[in-house]
Amino acid sequence: MSNGTTRTGTAPAETTRIHNIGYRNYDGARLGRAYARRSLFAQSLRGAYGLGRSARSKVLPMILFGVMCVPAAVIVAVAVATEMRELPLDYTRYAIFTQAVIGLFLAAQAPQTVSRDLRFRTVPLYFSRPVERVDYVLAKFGAMASALFVLTAAPLLVLYLGSLLAKMDLADQTKGFAQALVSVALLSLLFGGLGLVMAALTPRRGFGVAAVIAALTITYGAVSTVQAIAYETGSGGAVQWLGLFSPVTLIDGVQTAFLGASSSFPGGLGPGTGTGAVYLLAVLVLIAGSYGVLMRRYRKVGL
């Protein structure tokens, strides 16, 4: 049956064309996962100080870095001018003395390190293949800890060089400087891990900042207050154990027990070697636990 229309021919056969648009196979070196991990580490470390970012992003970290170093420079100037034979502030006390500045730096930079990646699911680098979860976590953890180490070790270096300029005893100053470097290395790993965990639990930067401040500043204030109450009521033995509940007092306890530091606990009742071993174990468990939580967090979000 016809509907009144006719076909006069068949449709022309489709043809396939190949265009050479100039793409070439990559025949250079395959740098692999280690190079990708180093690149992400370097980019994250630079970003913590605003390098490679806008001028506004550099202001806060550089101001905090300066605030960390200025007291050390003043101490050195006074020591040289008055010909002191030893520094008025021990190396191991410096990070405890400036812990508020360290907390502000961490609160500002930990969310910047991970929150934006979580929120937008992008990183400012182009990789030829997906980054492994372990590589991402190690790079970010290492970068945050390294940024904190630079922040805390720089004023110690100023103090050390100043002590040599003032012709203080070389052996004593070198020993104190080395002990303080070990202390701030532990502090950087502990604070960096805790800060990244707080920041990674929420993609909102503001919430991450508040969480980091709460984890460091509020716990330190609460523990110090309870320690003071325990000391004043004659419960001096409890002072040592209460220090286990704040990151700042944990570091204080470790360096008091093993690094020859004087304790900032009420009455100077810092932990001895036995209790100090518990402090050190707690620090190591928190560092390892932070890494584990980060791995689990990024597994959950699909990295």
Side-chain angles (χ1 to χ4, degrees):
M1 183 180 293
S2 172
N3 60 5
T5 62
T6 60
R7 296 182 181 275
T8 58
T10 60
E14 293 185 359
T15 59
T16 301
R17 295 180 177 88
I18 299 176
H19 299 275
N20 182 3
I21 58 177
Y23 289 142
R24 293 184 299 174
N25 291 331
Y26 176 74
D27 54 5
R30 302 286 179 175
L31 299 176
R33 288 174 53 188
Y35 184 79
R37 186 166 56 244
R38 290 195 301 272
S39 299
L40 186 57
F41 166 83
Q43 181 272 329
S44 301
L45 177 57
R46 285 166 49 84
Y49 285 94
L51 303 178
R53 300 168 60 199
S54 65
R56 186 176 63 179
S57 300
K58 298 177 176 65
V59 174
L60 181 59
M62 292 304 177
I63 287 177
L64 293 176
F65 183 83
V67 171
M68 283 290 293
C69 293
V70 165
V74 171
I75 291 172
V76 166
V78 172
V80 172
T82 59
E83 298 182 353
M84 291 182 179
R85 301 283 27 118
E86 61 182 23
L87 294 171
L89 181 67
D90 292 340
Y91 292 99
T92 49
R93 296 284 302 148
Y94 197 89
I96 304 299
F97 176 71
T98 57
Q99 56 92 14
V101 182
I102 300 171
L104 286 175
F105 180 89
L106 182 63
Q109 301 309 317
Q112 183 274 329
T113 301
V114 294
S115 295
R116 295 177 65 185
D117 295 355
L118 284 169
R119 186 176 181 183
F120 300 109
R121 300 298 181 93
T122 59
V123 295
L125 296 174
Y126 177 79
F127 299 104
S128 60
R129 65 185 66 189
V131 179
E132 298 289 338
R133 184 187 310 116
V134 64
D135 295 331
Y136 181 89
V137 172
L138 283 175
K140 292 292 184 177
F141 200 137
M144 193 70 256
S146 297
L148 286 172
F149 184 76
V150 170
L151 182 74
T152 52
L156 298 181
L157 182 60
V158 172
L159 288 175
Y160 181 65
L161 294 177
S163 70
L164 299 183
L165 183 63
K167 299 181 180 179
M168 298 180 186
D169 186 78
L170 177 61
D172 287 345
Q173 297 305 315
T174 302
K175 180 181 178 181
F177 178 59
Q179 290 173 332
L181 286 181
V182 173
S183 177
V184 297
L186 278 176
L187 180 148
S188 300
L189 288 170
L190 176 62
F191 282 26
L194 293 176
L196 288 183
V197 167
M198 296 297 104
L201 292 178
T202 173
R204 296 290 180 178
R205 184 172 182 176
F207 293 155
V209 171
V212 173
I213 292 176
L216 297 181
T217 306
I218 295 179
T219 57
Y220 177 69
V223 167
S224 297
T225 301
V226 176
Q227 282 181 321
I229 294 173
Y231 177 72
E232 293 297 332
T233 56
S235 301
V239 171
Q240 298 181 17
W241 298 106
L242 288 169
L244 291 168
F245 298 97
S246 164
V248 178
T249 52
L250 273 173
I251 296 299
D252 191 305
V254 169
Q255 66 180 18
T256 300
F258 300 110
L259 298 173
S262 58
S263 178
S264 63
F265 290 1
L269 298 178
T273 304
T275 310
V278 179
Y279 273 70
L280 180 58
L281 179 62
V283 169
L284 297 178
V285 167
L286 284 173
I287 293 172
S290 297
Y291 173 78
V293 171
L294 287 171
M295 288 291 291
R296 184 173 182 179
R297 171 63 174 159
Y298 284 101
R299 183 183 301 113
K300 184 177 180 179
V301 299
L303 178 60

